[in-house]
Amino acid sequence: MDEQPWRGELRGLSFAPYTDAHNPMTKVDPTPEEISRDLKAVASVARSVRTYTTQGTMMQVPRLAWKQGLTVTAGAWIGPDLEANKREISNLIDMTRSNGNITQLIVGNESVLRADVTVPELIQYIRAVKALTPLPVSTAEPWHVWLAHPELAQQVDFIAVHILPFWEGIDPDQAVQFVMERYEDLQRKFPNKRIVISEIGWPSEGLTRKDAVASPVNQGLFLRRFLAVAQEHNLDYFVIEAFDQPWKMQVEGGVGAYWGIFDADRKLKPALDGVLMNRPDWPWLSLATLAMGLPFVLWLLRQELGLKRRGRLILAILAQGTVSAGVWVYAAYSGLYLTDLDIGVLGVIAPATLLLLGVFLTEGIEMVECLWRGSSRRRLAPPAALGDTPPPMVSIHVPCRNEPADMMIRTIKALERLDYPNFEVLIIDNNSTDDSCWQPVEVYCRNLGPNFRFFHLPKWPGFKAGALNFALAHTNPDAQVVATIDSDYEVSREWLKDLVGHFADPQVALVQAPQDYRDGKDDLFKRFCFWEYAGFFHLGMKTRDEHNAIIQHGTMALIRKDALTRVGGWAEWCITEDAELGLRLFEAGYRAVYTEKSYGKGLIPDSFDAFRKQRYRWAYGAMQIMKTHWRELLPWGERKLTRAQRYQFVAGWLPWIADGFQLMFVALAILWTAGMIVLPQFIEPPLTLFLIVTLGMFTFKVGKSLWLYTQRVPCSFIERLGASLAGLALGHTVAKAVWRGAFTTNLPFMRTPKLENQPAFIRGLLAAWEETLIAALLVGFGVLIMMTRGVVEPAAKLWAMLLFVQALPFASALVLSMINALPFGQRRHVALPLGAAEQAKSPAAE
């Protein structure tokens, strides 16, 4: 930036010879040799130094400064400790008697401002010093303290005033004028007193206060302009300060460390002479981002991804952007002085940030694949039947537990109508406690002939997987295909006829049709849930099918019986035994086929609580699978899974893991905000990295979802918003499941309730009580921050806005729960704009 450099000598510098290895608060002082080194650096730019204390090796500063030709304004620290004050004054007098280069004394530094002593008490200390030395004596206070206490000015030989426009929140362009106006106020108030500006300066880094921005450019602009005015008016001053003081972050916050004209490594900043730039290393950073990102981009572009040219270009931009973000975030913190608290928080956030950058990239890849895929490798139609070969026998397994008898009978009647010549149905009722549920179903099945068999297992281990393994053991030996459906599903007549033909390919072990629901238009709550489910089947499953990496569901699945037996049947240790089986089939080298055409419809959970429990089970099961199959999911080495399969499974679960880390961020945000309110002098608004992680992921997640829904999911705008609301509402539930799944293994199977009564208002509120409490804490803390620190700190305002944004997913849970509970959420048709799918009577709706 173009501003006249200052190449003259400075009148004086505040001097504290502490590096990042020293701390006066813990009595870790520099050695005399280190002090001499620092004074030599000061002597190259200034003629005088000001000290603040006589503790430790600071007693030797005047003697060492004399060797460098420097004069000293010596200070004694006055605080609430009376004994320490006596020692300071005694040492100060001893220093003046031993060193002829001390020209004036300052007794106390902002002691009245901090309320460490009263004005009368400080006057007594000043009088005591004046009685023992002929040197001029004063105390140092901000300008407004002097104006408020003229009685203090009467007792000093000169006015030592701090005028720091940064702390006043003054714009850098108005800062020098502000200084001169305050200086003139003092001249008018105390016309017979010499005035020394004992602290004047600007920080090169740190947080913003009102219009005052801490930056290298603003530090240089202010100092150069002030020094020119000071020379013109022959002002006496001490620039604060000689060297950056990292230890000050413990008492003044992050900005307190950056007031030096030398940095903590004793390198002269460009504040006085040099080109003013906030990031002078930006050319090297730009080259670094290109050097680190380009190989990855080129590798992506060379892969056979089946993308159109636009998709490849956008993917390359996303990849380069992700790498660039990582490099620039690192650069933003590599030059900062960090407290132990900062380091601790970074130790948690930095790995999580890398993970979330990975999530950002994987979500971007999914978006690109959905929107700009070129030729498809999917096989949507089964091979034609071969001559007179009879169709293979299919064994349909329907596990159930405490399900309503009328619903089960409807499910069985739909199976009776199947247009397929060779199948059997096994209904396995395990661990039901209500005889009225299973006994009518058993009676109904007796009249259907030998191909419909009912089994009641009063006490059977393994939950749903245990029931399915029982059914597998009792399957007709002639069956070649096993089909599974949930107890609430009513299948279409064409299900088996249309899909069994895929098994003509011996490599195909799984044929999966989507989950679909027949009550998706019953009320507003279910409508939103319906479209939240639909997004995965319209987007994620189609992309996964391109890479032979679909997720198997526990319903509407056809499985080659020999393959099922070969891989060991259903995993009774896993709460999502269906997805785990699908992964084992891929590990065994089999292929899968996904058709987005609906062949069966079930029931959406009736309440928000049931909806949430279902997603909890899915996320917990995903963590179980990852912990068991982690070796196969590693990106390197020879594995049973292909690279594409490994990527798809990990990328599919990463957003859930990201939700877990977001919950950790929320907990840290609440704790940090409490600290900002209780200990404002020690804890500042957090590192920008915290803000980037949370705001960036939230914005991208919501924006990507709405965009993809607009392009690929046939629903209305209101339904897109509802689906987004439902997805956000599940974030806390998923996060809890991720953390619990990471550290436990024995979560009991939680069955998703069907056809339960709608909850009352209070039940709807209690269903989301955790989310409501967290949202209230975030909003409440945000308001408190806005009312206190937000008045002067823009960073605090930004932090408050972040708290409000973090509250949105939790508030979404309360909103969805109340939609479910309140009268307008009751079971009835809601007049909303119909999506294109419903207008066309697609398989997504009845």
Side-chain angles (χ1 to χ4, degrees), residues 112-150:
V112 173
L113 178 68
R114 293 192 307 274
D116 286 347
V117 295
T118 64
V119 170
E121 289 171 340
L122 183 58
I123 289 174
Q124 291 301 315
Y125 285 121
I126 292 171
R127 288 175 175 174
V129 172
K130 290 177 69 173
L132 298 171
T133 179
L135 294 175
V137 179
S138 184
T139 189
E141 293 288 347
W143 60 272
H144 58 87
V145 174
W146 286 110
L147 293 176
H149 295 284

Side-chain angles (χ1 to χ4, degrees), residues 410-638:
R410 287 186 60 178
T411 297
I412 296 170
K413 286 182 176 180
L415 293 172
E416 293 178 61
R417 295 191 292 269
L418 281 171
D419 184 13
Y420 193 77
N422 193 11
F423 70 94
E424 67 170 358
V425 176
L426 279 63
I427 296 95
I428 310 96
D429 178 84
N430 66 317
N431 301 308
S432 284
T433 57
D434 186 350
D435 292 345
S436 66
C437 290
W438 65 269
Q439 287 178 346
V441 181
E442 181 184 36
V443 171
Y444 183 83
C445 289
R446 286 178 191 159
N447 300 320
L448 298 179
N451 285 346
F452 282 78
R453 291 183 282 163
F454 180 89
F455 299 91
H456 174 59
L457 311 176
K459 294 182 180 180
W460 196 258
F463 308 106
K464 183 178 179 180
L468 290 171
N469 281 330
F470 175 89
L472 184 61
H474 290 76
T475 295
N476 189 314
D478 295 333
Q480 300 177 44
V481 176
V482 169
T484 60
I485 64 168
D486 283 348
S487 57
D488 57 326
Y489 264 70
E490 296 181 19
V491 299
S492 65
R493 287 171 51 81
E494 300 81 14
W495 176 38
L496 300 183
K497 181 179 69 174
D498 284 1
L499 300 183
V500 168
H502 284 288
F503 291 100
D505 181 348
Q507 289 300 307
V508 172
L510 171 65
V511 179
Q512 180 70 60
Q515 291 183 199
D516 197 5
Y517 303 94
R518 60 181 180 269
D519 57 344
K521 295 185 290 183
D522 279 5
D523 55 50
L524 191 61
F525 167 75
K526 289 193 175 184
R527 196 178 187 110
F528 288 171
C529 294
F530 175 87
W531 288 109
E532 194 277 335
Y533 287 126
F536 178 71
F537 297 101
H538 282 81
L539 301 170
M541 283 291 281
K542 292 170 69 173
T543 299
R544 284 171 166 273
D545 194 33
E546 296 283 353
H547 304 283
N548 190 36
I550 66 171
I551 294 287
Q552 181 185 345
H553 314 301
T555 190
M556 303 310 299
L558 303 177
I559 310 161
R560 188 182 296 274
K561 180 187 171 187
D562 289 346
L564 177 57
T565 304
R566 176 187 168 193
V567 300
W570 302 89
E572 298 182 16
W573 56 266
C574 185
I575 203 166
T576 50
E577 70 295 321
D578 41 13
E580 194 277 339
L581 173 63
L583 185 58
R584 275 188 288 130
L585 290 173
F586 290 131
E587 290 173 354
Y590 290 106
R591 294 179 56 82
V593 174
Y594 172 70
T595 174
E596 60 264 37
K597 182 179 178 180
S598 175
Y599 286 96
K601 299 178 188 294
L603 298 174
I604 293 174
D606 281 332
S607 69
F608 173 68
D609 188 53
F611 181 55
R612 185 173 56 181
K613 285 180 180 178
Q614 182 189 66
R615 195 60 53 92
Y616 187 99
R617 179 169 60 84
W618 292 353
Y620 187 94
M623 297 305 296
Q624 287 183 306
I625 295 170
M626 291 187 74
K627 288 192 299 182
T628 301
H629 293 265
W630 66 270
R631 292 179 181 84
E632 285 302 322
L633 297 173
L634 292 175
W636 55 80
E638 293 295 327

